[in-house]
Amino acid sequence: MASGSSIDVLGQFELHPVLGGLGEAIRLSQSPVYMVIACALVLAFMFYGMKPASVVPGRFQAAAEICYEFVRNLAVDTIGPEGTSFFPFIFALFFFILAGNYLGLVPHSFTFTSHIAVTFALAIMVFVLSIIVSLKVQGLKFFAHFMPAGAPVALAPLLVPIEILSFLSRPVSLSIRLFANMVAGHVMFDIFASFVIMLAGLGFIGDVLAVGPIAINIALIGLELLVGVLQAYVFAILTCIYLREAVAH
Amino acid sequence: MRLPVSLIRRSLLAGVSGLPLIVAAAPGAYAAGMPQLDFKNPLVTGQVIWGGIIFLFFYLALRNWALPKVETVLSNRHERITGDLDQAHEAKMEADKAVRELNETKKAAAAQAQAHLDSVLAQEHAASAQRLAEINAKLETEIASAEANVAAERKRAMESLRPIASDVAESLIQRLTGQAPDRASVDAAIARASVQSAH
């Protein structure tokens, strides 16, 4: 968003209370509203897709089934047979992030996955879940994972802190990966869009030159569509890998 | 179960590269501008609570309602397909059985026909052999009777030959010696000679 000649690329991430004073009191910004829209879209997609519930699916039903089977295979192939019980969680996680990423690509909308608070909360949820599952399945043997099997005992004072650090860095890396990708994409949109407005002030030659940033932004939409699904996939598959590690004996 | 090394390296790298952002989150960094890092803003932290509630409802709606619906449709389809496959399998088994029965019937009919043919042939063989035997027997009796006739004729001829021989011998002796021989001794000599020549 350009105000005058300066570029304010970060204004798009600002939160505003909705419903006026009530929203301010209950800390309700546009971000949770978009979360509700994203979840409603996913649920509506599943509802209308599966409404015919026919043996030979139509296009819409086939799409809903593909989504189901894609995430199910992801969960079961990665986690193993225990993946079935985690499948609804992985499905919710994947489509929550995917819908958030894609909803943010709609002009004038808001990307809740561009907020570190949201992505970090999701990552902590995954982290805590994996620890709970680990402790439940493996008991105290869970702590043995911090000493790599087969490594010399003499190296333990070095290896154990590294393993603990790498374990603790999981939620950080998981959340920052998604957050940084979303922020970077939307900042780039804003920068190139601002270029168009700035070039418009140069008269005819500016109008001609402005085609460049517009073309770049069109290409960026394509890239962001890829990044949106890729980041959701990465988040989901890393969650699956952490859970596989948790359920492994 | 351990993570692949590449994954550890990647997550470490991401963690390290994220460090500046954590540093930036320190008080005062908000002046640099990122609204996401303004944790003093209640709306930023409010997202976590709202997000938690929304995600929980989303998860429950998916787990209890949307996903079982897909599961039902998929398992119905699976059952239908395996049912149809079983049916097709059964139909094929029946067809195979019918073909097998047909082949058996064909084989039995061929065997019966062959047996019939064999029996007819055997009968025919027996009949012709019998006819041949009858003809042979008839021919043999005819041959035997003919032989008997010939022997009788020969005997009669031989018997009628002896008086002629006696007469010839008597007249020869009379011419040679000039006196008539004793008829009885001539007959005896002829009989002796004919017995010798008969041997």
Side-chain angles (χ1 to χ4, degrees), chain B residues 29-59:
Chain B
Y30 175 58
M34 285 195 100
Q36 292 101 314
L37 302 177
D38 177 20
F39 293 116
K40 273 177 276 173
N41 183 355
L43 291 177
V44 171
T45 43
Q47 287 180 108
V48 176
I49 299 150
W50 282 112
I53 296 166
I54 293 162
F55 188 82
L56 180 70
F57 275 103
F58 183 52
Y59 169 72

Short mmCIF file of all heavy atoms in Angstrom, two decimals, chain B residues 29-59:
data_model
loop_
_atom_site.label_atom_id
_atom_site.label_comp_id
_atom_site.label_asym_id
_atom_site.label_seq_id
_atom_site.Cartn_x
_atom_site.Cartn_y
_atom_site.Cartn_z
N ALA B 29 11.76 -3.67 18.81
CA ALA B 29 11.87 -4.05 17.41
C ALA B 29 10.60 -3.68 16.65
O ALA B 29 10.62 -3.55 15.44
CB ALA B 29 12.11 -5.54 17.28
N TYR B 30 9.50 -3.51 17.38
CA TYR B 30 8.25 -3.17 16.73
C TYR B 30 8.37 -1.84 15.99
O TYR B 30 7.69 -1.62 14.98
CB TYR B 30 7.12 -3.11 17.76
CG TYR B 30 5.83 -2.64 17.16
CD1 TYR B 30 5.25 -3.35 16.10
CD2 TYR B 30 5.18 -1.49 17.63
CE1 TYR B 30 4.07 -2.93 15.54
CE2 TYR B 30 3.99 -1.08 17.07
CZ TYR B 30 3.44 -1.79 16.02
OH TYR B 30 2.27 -1.38 15.46
N ALA B 31 9.27 -1.03 16.47
CA ALA B 31 9.49 0.24 15.80
C ALA B 31 9.92 0.00 14.36
O ALA B 31 9.65 0.81 13.48
CB ALA B 31 10.56 1.04 16.53
N ALA B 32 10.58 -1.16 14.12
CA ALA B 32 11.01 -1.49 12.76
C ALA B 32 9.80 -1.75 11.87
O ALA B 32 9.90 -1.69 10.66
CB ALA B 32 11.91 -2.71 12.76
N GLY B 33 8.66 -2.10 12.46
CA GLY B 33 7.45 -2.07 11.65
C GLY B 33 6.60 -3.31 11.53
O GLY B 33 5.47 -3.20 11.12
N MET B 34 7.08 -4.50 11.89
CA MET B 34 6.24 -5.67 11.62
C MET B 34 5.06 -5.75 12.59
O MET B 34 5.25 -5.97 13.78
CB MET B 34 7.07 -6.95 11.71
CG MET B 34 7.96 -7.13 10.51
SD MET B 34 8.60 -8.80 10.41
CE MET B 34 7.50 -9.51 9.21
N PRO B 35 3.83 -5.62 12.10
CA PRO B 35 2.69 -5.66 13.02
C PRO B 35 2.55 -7.04 13.66
O PRO B 35 1.98 -7.16 14.75
CB PRO B 35 1.49 -5.39 12.10
CG PRO B 35 2.05 -4.94 10.80
CD PRO B 35 3.45 -5.42 10.71
N GLN B 36 3.10 -8.07 12.99
CA GLN B 36 2.97 -9.43 13.53
C GLN B 36 3.74 -9.58 14.84
O GLN B 36 3.49 -10.49 15.62
CB GLN B 36 3.51 -10.47 12.55
CG GLN B 36 2.71 -10.61 11.29
CD GLN B 36 3.35 -9.86 10.13
OE1 GLN B 36 3.75 -8.71 10.31
NE2 GLN B 36 3.43 -10.50 8.99
N LEU B 37 4.77 -8.74 15.04
CA LEU B 37 5.63 -8.89 16.20
C LEU B 37 5.25 -7.94 17.33
O LEU B 37 5.94 -7.85 18.34
CB LEU B 37 7.09 -8.66 15.78
CG LEU B 37 7.56 -9.61 14.68
CD1 LEU B 37 8.97 -9.27 14.27
CD2 LEU B 37 7.48 -11.05 15.12
N ASP B 38 4.14 -7.27 17.16
CA ASP B 38 3.68 -6.35 18.20
C ASP B 38 2.85 -7.14 19.20
O ASP B 38 1.62 -7.11 19.20
CB ASP B 38 2.83 -5.25 17.54
CG ASP B 38 2.25 -4.31 18.58
OD1 ASP B 38 2.78 -4.26 19.70
OD2 ASP B 38 1.25 -3.63 18.26
N PHE B 39 3.57 -7.84 20.08
CA PHE B 39 2.86 -8.74 20.99
C PHE B 39 2.15 -8.00 22.11
O PHE B 39 1.43 -8.60 22.89
CB PHE B 39 3.82 -9.80 21.53
CG PHE B 39 4.31 -10.74 20.46
CD1 PHE B 39 5.64 -10.78 20.12
CD2 PHE B 39 3.41 -11.54 19.77
CE1 PHE B 39 6.08 -11.63 19.11
CE2 PHE B 39 3.85 -12.38 18.76
CZ PHE B 39 5.19 -12.43 18.42
N LYS B 40 2.39 -6.68 22.16
CA LYS B 40 1.65 -5.90 23.16
C LYS B 40 0.23 -5.64 22.69
O LYS B 40 -0.65 -5.33 23.48
CB LYS B 40 2.39 -4.58 23.43
CG LYS B 40 3.45 -4.74 24.51
CD LYS B 40 4.22 -3.45 24.73
CE LYS B 40 5.34 -3.33 23.73
NZ LYS B 40 6.02 -2.04 23.76
N ASN B 41 0.03 -5.77 21.37
CA ASN B 41 -1.32 -5.59 20.81
C ASN B 41 -2.19 -6.78 21.20
O ASN B 41 -1.89 -7.91 20.84
CB ASN B 41 -1.19 -5.47 19.28
CG ASN B 41 -2.53 -5.21 18.61
OD1 ASN B 41 -3.57 -5.19 19.26
ND2 ASN B 41 -2.48 -4.99 17.31
N PRO B 42 -3.26 -6.57 21.95
CA PRO B 42 -4.08 -7.71 22.37
C PRO B 42 -4.69 -8.46 21.18
O PRO B 42 -5.01 -9.65 21.30
CB PRO B 42 -5.17 -7.07 23.23
CG PRO B 42 -5.14 -5.62 22.90
CD PRO B 42 -3.75 -5.28 22.46
N LEU B 43 -4.82 -7.79 20.03
CA LEU B 43 -5.40 -8.47 18.87
C LEU B 43 -4.47 -9.56 18.35
O LEU B 43 -4.92 -10.59 17.84
CB LEU B 43 -5.69 -7.47 17.75
CG LEU B 43 -6.81 -6.48 18.03
CD1 LEU B 43 -6.94 -5.51 16.87
CD2 LEU B 43 -8.13 -7.18 18.28
N VAL B 44 -3.13 -9.34 18.49
CA VAL B 44 -2.15 -10.33 18.00
C VAL B 44 -2.25 -11.60 18.84
O VAL B 44 -2.34 -12.71 18.30
CB VAL B 44 -0.73 -9.74 18.04
CG1 VAL B 44 0.29 -10.82 17.73
CG2 VAL B 44 -0.61 -8.61 17.04
N THR B 45 -2.25 -11.44 20.15
CA THR B 45 -2.34 -12.63 21.00
C THR B 45 -3.76 -13.20 21.00
O THR B 45 -3.95 -14.40 21.18
CB THR B 45 -1.91 -12.28 22.44
OG1 THR B 45 -2.49 -11.02 22.78
CG2 THR B 45 -0.42 -12.19 22.55
N GLY B 46 -4.73 -12.31 20.75
CA GLY B 46 -6.12 -12.77 20.67
C GLY B 46 -6.32 -13.79 19.57
O GLY B 46 -7.15 -14.70 19.69
N GLN B 47 -5.51 -13.67 18.51
CA GLN B 47 -5.60 -14.63 17.41
C GLN B 47 -5.38 -16.06 17.88
O GLN B 47 -5.97 -17.00 17.36
CB GLN B 47 -4.53 -14.34 16.36
CG GLN B 47 -4.75 -13.13 15.52
CD GLN B 47 -3.60 -13.00 14.53
OE1 GLN B 47 -3.78 -13.23 13.36
NE2 GLN B 47 -2.44 -12.66 15.02
N VAL B 48 -4.47 -16.20 18.87
CA VAL B 48 -4.13 -17.55 19.34
C VAL B 48 -5.35 -18.19 19.99
O VAL B 48 -5.68 -19.35 19.71
CB VAL B 48 -2.95 -17.48 20.32
CG1 VAL B 48 -2.65 -18.85 20.89
CG2 VAL B 48 -1.72 -16.91 19.63
N ILE B 49 -6.03 -17.40 20.83
CA ILE B 49 -7.20 -17.95 21.53
C ILE B 49 -8.32 -18.24 20.53
O ILE B 49 -8.88 -19.36 20.49
CB ILE B 49 -7.68 -16.96 22.61
CG1 ILE B 49 -6.55 -16.77 23.63
CG2 ILE B 49 -8.93 -17.46 23.28
CD1 ILE B 49 -6.55 -15.41 24.28
N TRP B 50 -8.62 -17.25 19.71
CA TRP B 50 -9.67 -17.46 18.70
C TRP B 50 -9.30 -18.60 17.76
O TRP B 50 -10.13 -19.45 17.43
CB TRP B 50 -9.90 -16.17 17.90
CG TRP B 50 -10.72 -15.16 18.65
CD1 TRP B 50 -10.30 -13.96 19.14
CD2 TRP B 50 -12.10 -15.26 18.98
NE1 TRP B 50 -11.32 -13.30 19.76
CE2 TRP B 50 -12.44 -14.08 19.69
CE3 TRP B 50 -13.08 -16.25 18.79
CZ2 TRP B 50 -13.72 -13.86 20.18
CZ3 TRP B 50 -14.35 -16.01 19.27
CH2 TRP B 50 -14.66 -14.82 19.96
N GLY B 51 -8.04 -18.58 17.33
CA GLY B 51 -7.58 -19.63 16.41
C GLY B 51 -7.72 -21.00 17.04
O GLY B 51 -8.14 -21.95 16.38
N GLY B 52 -7.38 -21.09 18.34
CA GLY B 52 -7.51 -22.37 19.04
C GLY B 52 -8.95 -22.86 19.04
O GLY B 52 -9.22 -24.03 18.74
N ILE B 53 -9.86 -21.95 19.36
CA ILE B 53 -11.28 -22.33 19.41
C ILE B 53 -11.77 -22.75 18.02
O ILE B 53 -12.41 -23.80 17.85
CB ILE B 53 -12.13 -21.15 19.95
CG1 ILE B 53 -11.73 -20.83 21.39
CG2 ILE B 53 -13.61 -21.46 19.83
CD1 ILE B 53 -12.26 -19.49 21.89
N ILE B 54 -11.41 -21.92 17.02
CA ILE B 54 -11.89 -22.20 15.65
C ILE B 54 -11.31 -23.52 15.15
O ILE B 54 -12.02 -24.35 14.58
CB ILE B 54 -11.52 -21.04 14.71
CG1 ILE B 54 -12.29 -19.78 15.11
CG2 ILE B 54 -11.79 -21.40 13.25
CD1 ILE B 54 -11.72 -18.51 14.56
N PHE B 55 -10.01 -23.72 15.41
CA PHE B 55 -9.38 -24.95 14.94
C PHE B 55 -10.00 -26.17 15.61
O PHE B 55 -10.20 -27.20 14.97
CB PHE B 55 -7.86 -24.90 15.18
CG PHE B 55 -7.13 -26.05 14.55
CD1 PHE B 55 -6.79 -26.02 13.21
CD2 PHE B 55 -6.79 -27.18 15.29
CE1 PHE B 55 -6.14 -27.07 12.61
CE2 PHE B 55 -6.13 -28.24 14.70
CZ PHE B 55 -5.81 -28.19 13.36
N LEU B 56 -10.29 -26.03 16.91
CA LEU B 56 -10.91 -27.14 17.63
C LEU B 56 -12.25 -27.51 17.00
O LEU B 56 -12.53 -28.70 16.75
CB LEU B 56 -11.10 -26.77 19.10
CG LEU B 56 -11.75 -27.86 19.96
CD1 LEU B 56 -10.79 -29.02 20.15
CD2 LEU B 56 -12.18 -27.31 21.31
N PHE B 57 -13.07 -26.49 16.71
CA PHE B 57 -14.38 -26.77 16.10
C PHE B 57 -14.21 -27.36 14.69
O PHE B 57 -14.94 -28.27 14.30
CB PHE B 57 -15.22 -25.49 16.06
CG PHE B 57 -15.96 -25.26 17.34
CD1 PHE B 57 -15.53 -24.32 18.27
CD2 PHE B 57 -17.11 -26.01 17.65
CE1 PHE B 57 -16.19 -24.13 19.46
CE2 PHE B 57 -17.78 -25.81 18.84
CZ PHE B 57 -17.32 -24.88 19.75
N PHE B 58 -13.24 -26.81 13.97
CA PHE B 58 -12.96 -27.31 12.61
C PHE B 58 -12.58 -28.79 12.67
O PHE B 58 -13.10 -29.62 11.92
CB PHE B 58 -11.83 -26.47 12.02
CG PHE B 58 -11.47 -26.81 10.60
CD1 PHE B 58 -12.44 -26.86 9.61
CD2 PHE B 58 -10.15 -27.03 10.23
CE1 PHE B 58 -12.11 -27.15 8.29
CE2 PHE B 58 -9.82 -27.32 8.93
CZ PHE B 58 -10.79 -27.38 7.96
N TYR B 59 -11.68 -29.10 13.63
CA TYR B 59 -11.21 -30.48 13.79
C TYR B 59 -12.37 -31.40 14.15
O TYR B 59 -12.54 -32.48 13.56
CB TYR B 59 -10.13 -30.52 14.87
CG TYR B 59 -9.76 -31.90 15.33
CD1 TYR B 59 -9.03 -32.75 14.50
CD2 TYR B 59 -10.15 -32.38 16.58
CE1 TYR B 59 -8.69 -34.02 14.91
CE2 TYR B 59 -9.82 -33.65 16.99
CZ TYR B 59 -9.09 -34.47 16.16
OH TYR B 59 -8.76 -35.73 16.55
#
